[in-house]
Amino acid sequence: MGLFEKILGIFKKKDVTVETRGTTAPKPDEPEKPAVPERPAPPPTNAIPAERAPVVEGQTSAIPPDEKVPTTAQTDTKEVKPVSDKITAGHVHMSGCTGCEVAIADNYAGLLTLLDKYVDWVYDLTLADVRHIPEMDVALVEGSVCINDKISVEEIRETREKSKIVVALGSCACYGNITRFCRGGQQNQPQHEAYLPIGDLIKVDVYLPGCGPSPQLIKNVCVAAYLLLKGNADQQALATAYLKPLMQAAERGTEACFCDLMIDVIDQGLCIGCGACAAACPVRAITHEYGKPQGQRDLCIKCGACYNQCPRSWFSFDVVSQYEGIMETIDAAMQE
Amino acid sequence: MVSDNFLGNYASCVAARSTNRAILAGSQDGGIVTQLFAFALEEGIIDGAIVAGPGDEPWRPRPMVATTVAELLAARGTKYNISPNVSFIKEATRSYGLDKVGIVGTPCQMQAVRKGQLYPVGLRDVPDKIALAIGIFCMENFPYQSIVQLVEDHANTKLDNVTKMDIGKGKFWVYTERGATVQLPLKVTHKYEQPGCHVCLDYVANLADISTGSVGTPDGWSTVFVRSKKGTDIWSKALAAGCFETKPIEEVKPGLELVTKLATEKITKNRKTIEERASFGVGKGLRNPYI
């Protein structure tokens, strides 16, 4: 729990409106009550768009004397420097199991380094008390979109409009994954039965597949996204080369399953029986027959891990030949 | 650091063989892989290694996680057919609980390992646990059924009686318990190769920490390329511990020249194959995995 408190601490430091909103802010339909003022606005990079903030008209920014805000000044000073060249990112939760978000948190101290040095986490239903999707550099979208749910459809459209880079985080967002098998009937919305990968509704820039996506791939993509948006020319070139296969994966489409290995690798005479697919499969559906992968297709959850892990699905000599340097760069970036 | 178009990047290249007689007794050539893993295991550099262990049928390898020297010894020697070693790479960190994993594999398997470290799609917590990746030179590999075909049909020898197989001097060699030796010209073996090998652009495992193979050195010795920082560190420790007898590669025959020749031949041929695949059909081509 220590980690969780630390993370929450960070968000509280950054967004001091957290405590007041929702608890003490008066409802618009109670005008007779004296307005309880909002606390001072958060730092500019975290600013919630004015039209979205639940601010009551006529509020002043004065702090009542009995409000306890002793640490505000101190924490604001701490944040001034590092915030300046961070990118803004957030987690958009569509229909997923939150496993992808847990995978983000599974970077442990690495997540704190990411938040300290590179990323302002501006939106996240689980971790940041921001109710509406703000403008952000990178949106990490978890889950597929339930097209029977108006709000989900609105939010995925809004995510695209407000984000520079949309990353499909995890296999549900990329390929539908386990939500492909939904037939509805679940409480309390039994009519919710049709789910689509986000790429069927919006343009997606980067795929980060996996069920769940590995914390290390999330870390690599986050550092690469930072270098792409804020780095020098060399760093941008490196980040572009690194992200290119994941961008091409996004262009390739929204369908995946073990069959991709058959269709695009084995049937094409490219398989070398290395075993990467079997290692990657989260449901142990892949064994080897005659040295080639054999999938139990009833077990396949359509996550696309096997295909994307295969060295013969896509392989970039430019990037992988530099594996040592790239891993050192990312490790150095993650040093506290 | 030498940077060669065909031999990849390497810090040093030597001829070497293990100083351990027990290892040499059953090894393919210089016992490099077994000796390195045994040393790394004893020194705590790795907790275990994924190797091609004995399978259910004669000469059919099965990937196994060796955590003792005895298990390493049981996996000595080259089996010229597919062992999906990479399939154990996550399992080794989970069921076996290894924090420092050794793995031996062909050049394509080294590519899979490095791609997996940079893009760990389904390899959670694996990337930082690869402590020593040893690559073996590889011209092509065979499915197990091709080995059955070659040994039992072409070489007319029961697989149970085979003591060693080897590819060298332009021939496929089968040695038996009773001392008989059968040699097949490689012209015969080519059609039984695994098709996926024909688009492979790596001969000497350019992405391994250390890569090794028989080509370039006399019988009983191996050519060793020391490549990465990890590889350099482990190799120097193993040398300091007296694990290997070495000779400068320049002083042995046939030397690096032959390695370069074969690497160039393989890669040039396979580049041509990739080009031909682009117009394989009529106005239609086959996939090229390289981007």
Side-chain angles (χ1 to χ4, degrees), chain A residues 31-259:
Chain A
E32 72 279 3
K33 269 190 172 180
V36 177
E38 285 273 314
R39 293 198 181 163
T45 42
N46 292 321
I48 302 154
E51 72 276 14
R52 287 292 183 187
V55 176
V56 178
E57 274 185 19
Q59 266 187 340
T60 69
S61 61
I63 303 165
D66 57 336
E67 279 265 15
K68 286 179 187 170
V69 283
T71 56
T72 306
Q74 193 193 343
T75 50
D76 278 355
T77 340
K78 271 190 182 170
E79 282 300 308
V80 168
K81 198 181 100 203
V83 158
S84 57
D85 61 350
K86 283 184 183 179
I87 59 172
T88 54
H91 174 267
V92 179
H93 207 313
M94 292 283 134
S95 296
C97 69
T98 321
C100 303
E101 173 144 40
V102 171
I104 298 176
D106 279 345
N107 274 292
Y108 299 110
L111 175 61
L112 301 182
T113 308
L114 281 172
L115 295 175
D116 276 345
K117 294 172 75 170
Y118 306 111
V119 182
D120 263 327
W121 207 245
V122 294
Y123 181 69
D124 187 327
L125 288 182
T126 317
L127 294 175
D129 195 2
V130 177
R131 290 292 166 194
H132 297 283
I133 295 167
E135 301 273 341
M136 50 191 152
D137 293 326
V138 181
L140 298 163
V141 185
E142 166 176 355
S144 57
V145 185
C146 178
I147 57 170
N148 314 125
D149 178 47
K150 205 174 141 199
I151 294 171
S152 296
V153 177
E154 270 171 25
E155 286 199 338
I156 197 65
R157 298 171 73 108
E158 200 175 352
T159 301
R160 180 65 272 181
E161 284 157 16
K162 291 188 169 177
S163 319
K164 286 188 191 136
I165 298 173
V166 172
V167 179
L169 173 68
S171 290
C172 292
C174 297
Y175 300 117
N177 197 32
I178 196 79
T179 67
R180 289 278 192 198
F181 299 88
C182 182
R183 301 293 180 268
Q186 70 278 7
Q187 290 301 331
N188 62 354
Q189 301 291 330
Q191 79 286 9
H192 284 182
E193 61 178 29
Y195 295 80
L196 287 175
I198 64 170
D200 284 345
L201 296 178
I202 62 168
K203 183 183 178 298
V204 180
D205 302 297
V206 175
Y207 266 18
L208 205 165
C211 183
S214 75
Q216 294 77 25
L217 184 58
I218 295 172
K219 173 189 72 180
N220 293 357
V221 169
C222 284
V223 174
Y226 173 81
L227 294 177
L228 185 67
L229 293 169
K230 304 283 182 182
N232 60 33
D234 287 346
Q235 290 167 328
Q236 282 179 345
L238 180 74
T240 307
Y242 177 80
L243 291 172
K244 188 178 160 196
L246 301 175
M247 295 176 185
Q248 290 182 336
E251 285 164 15
R252 181 174 175 270
T254 55
E255 266 188 73
C257 75
F258 170 79
C259 298

Side-chain angles (χ1 to χ4, degrees), chain A residues 258 261 277-279 281 283-288 293-296 299 306:
Chain A
F258 170 79
L261 282 185
C277 51
C281 180
V283 293
R284 302 182 193 230
I286 301 176
T287 52
H288 282 74
Q294 179 64 32
Q296 291 184 55
L299 290 182
C306 56

Side-chain angles (χ1 to χ4, degrees), chain B residues 98-119:
Chain B
L98 309 189
D99 286 330
K100 293 167 280 183
V101 180
I103 181 167
V104 59
T106 51
C108 56
Q109 291 179 318
M110 294 298 109
Q111 292 175 351
V113 170
R114 299 317 183 189
K115 177 180 171 180
Q117 285 181 283
L118 287 177
Y119 300 99

Side-chain angles (χ1 to χ4, degrees), chain B residues 143-164:
Chain B
Y144 181 68
Q145 284 67 23
S146 289
I147 290 297
V148 173
Q149 193 75 13
L150 283 167
V151 174
E152 304 218 325
D153 184 3
H154 286 272
N156 198 21
T157 304
K158 208 165 172 355
L159 264 170
D160 296 282
N161 300 337
V162 174
T163 52
K164 184 174 180 172

Side-chain angles (χ1 to χ4, degrees), chain B residues 63-111:
Chain B
M64 67 178 269
V65 179
T67 52
T68 63
V69 174
E71 285 171 329
L72 286 174
L73 288 174
R76 277 172 303 177
T78 304
K79 298 99 184 164
Y80 286 95
N81 62 101
I82 300 162
S83 179
N85 284 8
V86 184
S87 66
F88 268 59
I89 206 159
K90 189 161 70 177
E91 203 59 12
T93 68
R94 300 242 176 142
S95 304
Y96 294 84
L98 309 189
D99 286 330
K100 293 167 280 183
V101 180
I103 181 167
V104 59
T106 51
C108 56
Q109 291 179 318
M110 294 298 109
Q111 292 175 351

